[in-house]
Amino acid sequence: MLRTHTCGELNLAHVNEDVVLCGWVQRIRDKGGMIWLDLRDRYGLTQLLFEEGKTPSEVLQAARTLGREFVIEAKGKVIERVAKNDKIQTGSIEIRITGITILNPAKLPPFLIEDETDGGDDIRMKYRYLDLRRNTVREKLQLRHQVARHTRAYLDDLNFIEVETPVLIKSTPEGARDFVVPSRMNPGEFYALPQSPQTFKQLLMVAGFDRYYQIVKCFRDEDLRADRQPEFTQIDCEMSFVTQEDILNTFEGLIRNLFRKVKGIELPEVPRMTYADAMRLYGSDKPDIRFDMKFTELKGEDQDLTSGSNFGVFDEAELVVGVCAPGCATYTRKQMDELTDWVKRPQIGAKGLIYVRYNADGSIKSSVDKFYSEEILRTWAEAFDAKPGDLLLILSGQADKARKQLNEVRLEMGSRLGFRNPDVYHVLWVLDFPLLEYGEAEDRWFAMHHPFTSPKPEDIPLLATDLGKVRANAYDMVINGVEVGGGSVRIFERDLQQQMFGILGFSPEEAQEQFGFLMNAFEFGAPPHAGIAFGFDRLCSLFGGVDSIRDFIAFPKNNSGRDVMIDSPSIISDGQLKELSIRVENRV
């Protein structure tokens, strides 16, 4: 080892010791007779001292040739600092230098390698290897490492076995778009990169590996956003001879263990909510339950508190629904106009917003006063369980659309009111999803999760009579309004799997061609099995208290799916294309 210690471990106990440190020059302060230099490695920062009369002249001269990010070896003695710095781990000591060696000089970096940098996203992505030197970025990857380490330890203790599954697999028509890889040895044929190891982990259950896991790379050719990358990582798990309850208990235990080990937080028992209740009360299958503001229906299947006043907007609506924003009755007309414009944006798509102010003095005013009396407005306030000072925000229209729009309003108000603190964590299981959803454009049914999800046993007869009412034996874990994991009890009988493929529009021949290997395996003694997968990058970003998963990936892609550091994807040569039997027309 070139060094005796790292730049993050020395303290007063090491005073008078001779040490050798290696690292990068963070900054230099030359005061003439004295030079201070901050040396950095991934463990921390140590101050080096060069002093005329005490430091050899040639060493002092060499120090004055150093620049930012030079890689050096420094020898010296640990001394106590006169002016201590309690903001860094080594702030009570410094090193009086007796010798330095420049291991590698460095060009001036294109941005400051500091916690507060002057580099924008694009330049830092291009020089990602420099960005990774910054504490704030490095700490995110260290957190990622801790999550992975404690995940493996927890699952290992429960006799799970980590098994690698193939990366070059078969393309399937269900789900997101595949990334495909041409086969040179099989001209005109292609592999696909896995969107998940789903069928392989089910085959491992058939093989008798009753507890499998893998922290695995997956690939989806999708449009990108802050919480999505073309390649991402899952904690992928499967178990045999279990029920849904066993899965929920095992992996609630995993999440609680991770919060305890990584964040030092003891989570309470995780509550459960059905999909139907989540949509009815929050308009979302991944509700943020850090705050209340549940939906209240003024007009719906069970009641109508809006009719008889000739207000066409409500009379023609299938659903009139709203939320109570506590303490917001003081919102000005300008604030209400701004909020109304906000809900009219294309991203939300509402035609307007009705509001009712329940003023602190007990009076009630609304944007529909000419249609509804104060007496009726008070019945609305009672339905919302509103208190003086609260503001009712109401939308109307087609039921599913109005609920989705109101979910956005609820989240926006939760943010404005400070209810969505990233350092507060509320975890939720959402259960009993619909098995299928109907695609109007395609005029057929699709699997809401995937084709291998089992219906709830009591709903299997409905597969022949009412597909829309069949519930899936499926479950999602939601943290702070973000879906971090999902899974299901699997189909493990050939006949039921064949029936499911038929419902999804596969002919028997197409099902055999695409998934015959799995259905054939079911005929050789497939056990009952179930599983779950957690979005590893997304889980890390939640632990780190940020929205973007990009910060927790060492070398991420940008929003166009490009790696600007290595300039990928890129054009390949005509010779390579010919070797792969690929012809590209109109190539520039």
Side-chain angles (χ1 to χ4, degrees):
M1 299 288 287
L2 293 179
R3 59 189 177 187
T4 60
H5 297 79
T6 70
C7 294
E9 66 177 297
L10 297 171
N11 53 50
L12 290 173
H14 298 93
V15 168
N16 292 324
E17 285 188 23
D18 291 320
V19 298
V20 181
L21 301 181
C22 294
W24 289 262
V25 175
Q26 173 98 355
R27 66 178 70 89
I28 304 171
R29 300 177 296 283
D30 190 340
K31 301 299 182 181
M34 302 182 77
I35 299 173
W36 287 274
L37 182 153
D38 292 338
L39 191 67
R40 180 192 70 243
D41 62 14
R42 82 173 176 94
Y43 304 95
L45 202 71
T46 298
Q47 180 170 282
L48 311 185
L49 172 64
F50 302 81
E51 187 175 4
E52 284 188 2
K54 295 183 179 179
T55 301
S57 59
E58 67 275 11
V59 175
L60 198 63
Q61 184 177 356
R64 290 196 164 98
T65 69
L66 300 176
R68 281 179 176 267
E69 301 308 311
F70 274 46
V71 186
I72 66 171
E73 175 188 273
K75 299 178 181 179
K77 188 180 291 292
V78 181
I79 62 173
E80 184 174 359
R81 280 178 67 164
V82 176
K84 295 181 172 57
N85 181 358
D86 59 5
K87 294 180 180 179
I88 61 174
Q89 196 169 340
T90 60
S92 59
I93 59 93
E94 59 189 351
I95 314 299
R96 175 170 281 128
I97 297 302
T98 57
I100 61 169
T101 302
I102 298 175
L103 300 175
N104 212 340
K107 291 169 59 178
L108 184 68
F111 55 87
L112 282 176
I113 300 178
E114 307 251 359
D115 290 357
E116 298 296 328
T117 182
D118 57 354
D121 287 347
D122 292 342
I123 194 74
R124 288 189 291 109
M125 288 279 281
K126 183 175 181 179
Y127 296 95
R128 180 64 170 173
Y129 48 86
L130 297 180
D131 198 33
L132 288 169
R133 293 180 186 174
R134 298 195 304 125
N135 289 331
T136 53
V137 181
R138 187 196 69 249
E139 287 165 0
K140 289 180 173 63
L141 293 184
Q142 288 176 328
L143 184 147
R144 181 186 178 99
H145 165 70
Q146 293 300 321
V147 176
R149 184 168 72 91
H150 291 299
T151 295
R152 286 191 167 95
Y154 176 87
L155 294 173
D156 287 349
D157 285 346
L158 293 179
N159 292 324
F160 280 78
I161 179 172
E162 185 165 15
V163 181
E164 290 186 0
T165 51
V167 174
L168 296 175
I169 65 168
K170 185 176 186 176
S171 181
T172 58
E174 289 288 319
R177 287 184 294 271
D178 288 325
F179 282 101
V180 294
V181 180
S183 171
R184 179 183 59 81
M185 292 182 290
N186 300 277
E189 296 184 327
F190 295 81
Y191 300 104
L193 301 181
Q195 297 183 31
S196 86
Q198 181 62 43
T199 54
F200 289 101
K201 65 179 180 178
Q202 290 190 250
L203 290 170
L204 285 170
M205 297 303 102
V206 177
F209 291 80
D210 63 332
R211 294 190 171 203
Y212 144 93
Y213 83 96
Q214 188 180 184
I215 299 181
V216 59
K217 189 74 78 175
C218 302
F219 307 85
R220 291 179 188 170
D221 189 4
E222 297 180 305
D223 296 333
L224 305 180
R225 56 188 188 222
D227 64 345
R228 185 179 288 168
Q229 285 272 301
E231 52 180 309
F232 58 97
T233 304
Q234 286 185 179
I235 305 171
D236 198 61
C237 308
E238 199 81 6
M239 301 174 72
S240 293
F241 306 114
V242 292
T243 64
Q244 175 178 286
E245 190 66 24
D246 297 319
I247 292 286
L248 298 185
N249 290 335
T250 300
F251 293 100
E252 179 176 324
L254 170 63
I255 294 301
R256 293 176 73 179
N257 180 70
L258 289 177
F259 270 98
R260 182 183 307 115
K261 298 288 189 180
V262 177
K263 297 289 292 181
I265 295 173
E266 285 292 341
L267 287 180
E269 183 176 339
V270 176
R272 301 177 183 184
M273 183 183 299
T274 65
Y275 170 88
D277 283 345
M279 297 304 296
R280 178 177 60 86
L281 296 173
Y282 298 98
S284 171
D285 60 0
K286 46 183 184 296
D288 187 342
I289 61 169
R290 282 174 292 182
F291 61 107
D292 196 18
M293 289 178 65
K294 296 184 181 73
F295 290 7
T296 297
E297 295 181 9
L298 295 178
K299 178 183 178 181
E301 292 183 0
D302 298 328
Q303 67 175 354
D304 184 357
L305 301 178
T306 67
S307 62
S309 297
N310 295 319
F311 184 49
V313 173
F314 284 177
D315 293 343
E316 297 168 9
E318 179 183 3
L319 178 71
V320 179
V321 63
V323 293
C324 178
C328 293
T330 55
Y331 263 37
T332 64
R333 178 62 181 268
K334 181 179 180 181
Q335 286 176 298
M336 291 310 308
D337 288 345
E338 183 272 329
L339 191 58
T340 301
D341 290 340
W342 185 86
V343 303
K344 288 181 177 179
R345 296 181 311 151
Q347 299 95 316
I348 311 298
K351 293 181 179 179
L353 178 68
I354 304 300
Y355 63 87
V356 179
R357 286 194 182 94
Y358 189 0
N359 295 314
D361 62 5
S363 63
I364 293 185
K365 294 292 181 182
S366 79
S367 57
V368 288
D369 280 350
K370 63 181 178 180
F371 294 100
Y372 294 98
S373 66
E374 183 172 335
E375 181 181 357
I376 292 176
L377 295 178
R378 286 192 183 279
T379 66
W380 293 5
E382 290 175 8
F384 279 80
D385 195 25
K387 298 176 176 57
D390 291 348
L391 177 69
L392 311 185
L393 301 171
I394 302 166
L395 294 177
S396 62
Q398 189 272 331
D400 289 345
K401 192 173 181 180
R403 286 193 178 97
K404 289 178 182 177
Q405 292 166 346
L406 189 62
N407 168 58
E408 298 297 333
V409 173
R410 176 182 179 270
L411 294 176
E412 176 67 14
M413 293 306 297
S415 296
R416 294 186 183 196
L417 293 168
F419 295 156
R420 303 181 71 191
N421 184 345
D423 295 321
V424 174
Y425 296 92
H426 283 243
V427 186
L428 174 71
W429 284 114
V430 179
L431 313 174
D432 296 350
F433 287 81
L435 181 70
L436 302 158
E437 53 188 345
Y438 191 72
E440 297 286 350
E442 300 85 357
D443 190 28
R444 72 177 185 89
W445 291 95
F446 290 86
M448 194 161 188
H449 279 70
H450 54 61
F452 316 108
T453 298
S454 175
K456 294 188 79 70
E458 60 270 30
D459 288 357
I460 288 178
L462 294 172
L463 290 172
T465 60
D466 195 344
L467 293 175
K469 290 186 177 179
V470 182
R471 294 168 299 162
N473 218 340
Y475 31 83
D476 279 0
M477 177 173 279
V478 177
I479 302 178
N480 292 358
V482 176
E483 177 203 333
V484 297
S488 65
V489 175
R490 320 299 188 191
I491 297 171
F492 68 100
E493 299 146 311
R494 182 185 177 108
D495 290 346
L496 182 56
Q497 187 66 76
Q498 186 80 56
Q499 183 182 4
M500 184 66 171
F501 285 138
I503 290 168
L504 296 174
F506 290 83
S507 68
E509 294 75 22
E510 289 171 333
Q512 183 63 33
E513 180 184 352
Q514 291 288 340
F515 301 106
F517 65 92
L518 182 64
M519 292 190 292
N520 293 342
F522 286 170
E523 296 183 320
F524 289 91
H529 56 283
I532 193 169
F534 292 94
F536 183 66
D537 313 293
R538 193 174 294 177
L539 194 60
C540 291
S541 71
L542 276 167
F543 281 176
V546 298
D547 293 330
S548 175
I549 66 171
R550 184 190 298 171
D551 296 335
F552 294 84
I553 298 173
F555 299 101
K557 308 290 189 293
N558 67 11
N559 287 341
S560 299
R562 296 197 65 83
D563 185 328
V564 295
M565 182 184 68
I566 64 173
D567 192 23
S568 171
S570 61
I571 293 172
I572 63 174
S573 70
D574 290 338
Q576 287 174 289
L577 290 172
K578 184 177 181 180
E579 191 174 39
L580 295 168
S581 302
I582 296 175
R583 185 178 67 183
V584 179
E585 296 182 0
N586 302 322
R587 181 168 180 177
V588 178

